[in-house]
């Protein structure tokens, strides 16, 4: 992994933890603005890492909710409309 990716991912992990503590699910945007003033490249790598982490958290939450519903005989949650595409 390149230095930029390591730095960005480490900061993203710390930022995700801070977001929980601060109860602010958009805090990463503020951190990205600070980074962007001196390194747009690091900012983009950071945003990518944040988006991946947020997406993975949402996916895991959906998976857990679907399994819980199945195990309890309840109706599984519906995936968001338009979820078949990404980029």
């Amino acid at each position: 992994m390149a230095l930029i990716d390591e730095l960005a991912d480490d900061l993203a992990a710390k930022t995700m933890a801070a977001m929980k503590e601060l109860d602010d699910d958009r805090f990463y945007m503020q951190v990205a603005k600070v980074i962007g003033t001196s390194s747009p490249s690091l900012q983009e790598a950071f945003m990518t890492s944040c988006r991946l982490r947020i997406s993975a958290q949402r996916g895991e939450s959906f998976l857990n909710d679907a399994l819980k519903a199945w195990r309890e005989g309840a109706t599984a949650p519906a995936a968001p409309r338009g979820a078949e595409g990404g980029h």
Side-chain angles (χ1 to χ4, degrees):
M1 184 181 282
L3 177 60
I4 193 168
D5 294 324
E6 290 177 19
L7 292 171
D9 194 54
D10 182 57
L11 184 57
K14 291 174 182 173
T15 300
M16 295 294 117
M19 286 168 50
K20 284 184 181 181
E21 187 172 336
L22 297 169
D23 194 28
D24 182 354
D25 65 350
R26 304 291 291 170
F27 182 68
Y28 73 100
M29 297 298 290
Q30 294 177 50
V31 177
K33 285 181 182 180
V34 171
I35 296 168
T37 61
S38 57
S39 178
S41 298
L42 181 59
Q43 180 188 40
E44 185 55 38
F46 170 78
M47 289 299 292
T48 297
S49 185
C50 286
R51 286 188 297 263
L52 289 170
R53 287 172 178 276
I54 291 167
S55 182
Q57 288 172 358
R58 288 178 181 164
E60 187 171 350
S61 178
F62 176 79
L63 174 64
N64 290 337
D65 290 347
L67 286 173
K68 181 180 178 194
W70 183 82
R71 290 173 181 148
E72 294 174 354
T75 302
R81 291 185 166 264
E84 57 275 347
H87 290 109

